[in-house]
Amino acid sequence: MRKLLLGTTALAAAATISANTALADVTISGSYEFKYLSRSSNNSTLDGTTMSHGDTDMVVNFTSKTDSGLDLTFRYDISNVGSTDNGGMTIDEASLAIAGGFGKVVLGMDDDAGDSYNIDEMDLIAEEPSISATSSSISSSSGVGGDDKMKVAYHLPAMGGLTAGISHTDRSAAGGTDTTSYGAKHSMNAAGAAITLGYAAVNDENATQDIDMENMGMKIVSGDVSLIISQGGYEASDEDRENQGAAISYKMPNGMTVGAFTFKSEDDLDVGEEYSASGAEIQYNIASGLKATITVVDYDYKITATNHESADTTADSGTMTQLTIGATF
């Protein structure tokens, strides 16, 4: 009888603990990209072929709902930073999101708020070959930049078609390099098309001159056709860039997606510095979770070294053709 009583008590206690413990739902996802790039460049150090990693991520999400109705999400993202072949995986993002009727608060290592509202031409292009080795200073898209440093972000609840948010990164006790980012989007329907207007901005505090970035864009989706036009700006010490871009994509019935883009950036403070690029790509779904993308970009970077603060930045022009094999899990 005593054993039966103790057993019954233990079962009741276990049931009580289970009923009052919030068990999180756990999801794990991953992605990997292999890139083969053939580059024809006027710069002999860039001319040739290379292989590299693309986006390589493993993301773990823990989600639960509190008794008061709050939605909690812990996101842990590790990735192969950059395109090197060392295979090293590091923490990319780790953050806690608290969502409810008030909106959403995100704490930890995550994107700047502006990233959620940025609209630029590369949103319709799946894989853009990197031109970072061409220039250390010129913009390569009309969007705003950012990082995943520790920050606090707040996003308003959707009001009709309007969404907005702001974030702040406190980088050190001494201050001087903090970052504030904000943005907004408004979505509507007109003449059978879905239209989204977006604005995003980033301000980095700097000892000499603050770094300011902004982006304005419009996306139009009508059936299988999507169009984006955008413009942006970048101001810093000896930098005053104006950026314009446009892109179009079409989802074909056979599962392929074709796209094209054009972009131009010009620095008003560095006489003769200008970057332009145009390209096209084809995306093909080989199987569920497996995709091949071929991207071709023709670029031209002009610079008068004597008018630029970085004398080792040299002019270049050429063509890049890239094959990307990507898998998601």
Side-chain angles (χ1 to χ4, degrees), residues 112 166-169 178-182 201-205 211:
D112 288 343
I166 186 170
S167 65
H168 181 72
T169 304
D178 295 348
T179 299
T180 300
S181 177
Y182 55 90
V202 176
N203 172 258
D204 285 324
E205 296 180 5
I211 299 174

Side-chain angles (χ1 to χ4, degrees), residues 253-290:
N254 60 1
M256 296 177 62
T257 300
V258 295
F261 78 95
T262 183
F263 171 75
K264 182 178 181 180
S265 179
E266 185 174 358
D267 191 337
D268 292 337
L269 296 184
D270 291 323
V271 178
E273 184 175 31
E274 180 180 302
Y275 173 76
S276 60
S278 58
E281 75 170 15
I282 298 176
Q283 303 174 48
Y284 177 67
N285 293 317
I286 302 172
S288 178
L290 183 63

Side-chain angles (χ1 to χ4, degrees), residues 31-36 50-57 79-89 127 322 324-325:
S31 64
Y32 178 82
E33 287 183 342
F34 171 85
K35 295 178 181 289
Y36 178 81
T50 57
M51 296 181 185
S52 64
H53 294 293
D55 293 333
T56 302
D57 288 283
S79 66
N80 184 15
V81 178
S83 58
T84 60
D85 296 330
N86 58 21
M89 300 291 282
E127 304 292 339
Q322 179 174 277
T324 303
I325 304 295

Side-chain angles (χ1 to χ4, degrees), residues 163-218:
T163 56
I166 186 170
S167 65
H168 181 72
T169 304
D170 191 347
R171 298 183 188 275
S172 67
T177 58
D178 295 348
T179 299
T180 300
S181 177
Y182 55 90
K185 277 184 179 179
H186 181 65
S187 301
M188 67 192 84
N189 292 313
I195 301 174
T196 303
L197 306 176
Y199 176 81
V202 176
N203 172 258
D204 285 324
E205 296 180 5
N206 190 278
T208 54
Q209 179 180 336
D210 289 354
I211 299 174
D212 294 308
M213 295 172 277
E214 67 174 359
N215 160 267
M216 293 180 287
M218 177 173 66

Side-chain angles (χ1 to χ4, degrees), residues 24-29 59-63 73-76 95:
D25 293 325
V26 182
T27 59
I28 301 176
S29 60
V59 181
V60 182
N61 283 304
F62 297 85
T63 59
T73 302
F74 168 56
R75 185 172 187 270
Y76 190 79
S95 62

